[in-house]
């Protein structure tokens, strides 16, 4: 859980030295978005707004990971998860790597 909070703090563009609890206390909107990212959003508008303002990943990462651990409801859900992560692997392989020292 501490790793997740630290990751969220960095994703929000905040200083690495900030305490995660201070970040969430100071920003109820970030707290709402982090909870939605983990537990699911009520609608697509909230998810898009959180992704835009806080640069948070889709909550599908977490939904897919839950399926891996707890089991998928259907074979289609499993296939969608596989397809999603194959796309993420392809994107990671072609992603830009910053030169050292920048």
């Amino acid at each position: 859980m501490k790793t997740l909070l630290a990751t969220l703090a960095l994703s929000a563009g905040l200083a690495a030295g900030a305490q995660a609890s201070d970040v969430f206390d100071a920003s109820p909107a970030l707290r709402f978005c982090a909870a939605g990212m983990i537990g699911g959003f009520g609608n697509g508008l909230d998810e898009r707004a959180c992704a835009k303002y806080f640069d948070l990943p889709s909550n599908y990462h977490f939904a897919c990971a839950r399926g891996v651990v707890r089991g998928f409801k259907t074979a289609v859900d499993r296939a969608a998860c596989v397809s999603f992560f194959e796309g993420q692997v392809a994107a990671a392989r072609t992603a830009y790597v910053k030169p050292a020292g920048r």
Side-chain angles (χ1 to χ4, degrees):
M1 187 67 173
K2 287 183 180 181
T3 303
L4 175 62
L5 294 176
T7 302
L8 289 175
L10 291 174
S11 296
L14 300 169
Q19 297 255 343
S21 62
D22 295 341
V23 171
F24 289 113
D25 290 341
S27 178
L30 178 58
R31 185 179 331 128
F32 170 81
C33 289
M37 183 183 68
I38 295 167
F41 289 95
N43 61 59
L45 293 176
D46 289 338
E47 182 173 359
R48 289 180 58 90
C50 289
K52 178 179 180 182
Y53 293 113
F54 296 110
D55 195 26
L56 298 174
S58 168
N59 73 321
Y60 190 71
H61 288 92
F62 293 96
C64 190
R66 273 191 298 275
V68 170
V69 172
R70 298 179 184 165
F72 293 97
K73 293 180 182 177
T74 67
V76 171
D77 290 339
R78 184 180 61 208
C81 182
V82 169
S83 176
F84 175 78
F85 276 108
E86 285 175 346
Q88 295 296 302
V89 168
R93 285 192 175 125
T94 61
Y96 174 75
V97 176
K98 293 181 183 179
R102 288 190 182 192

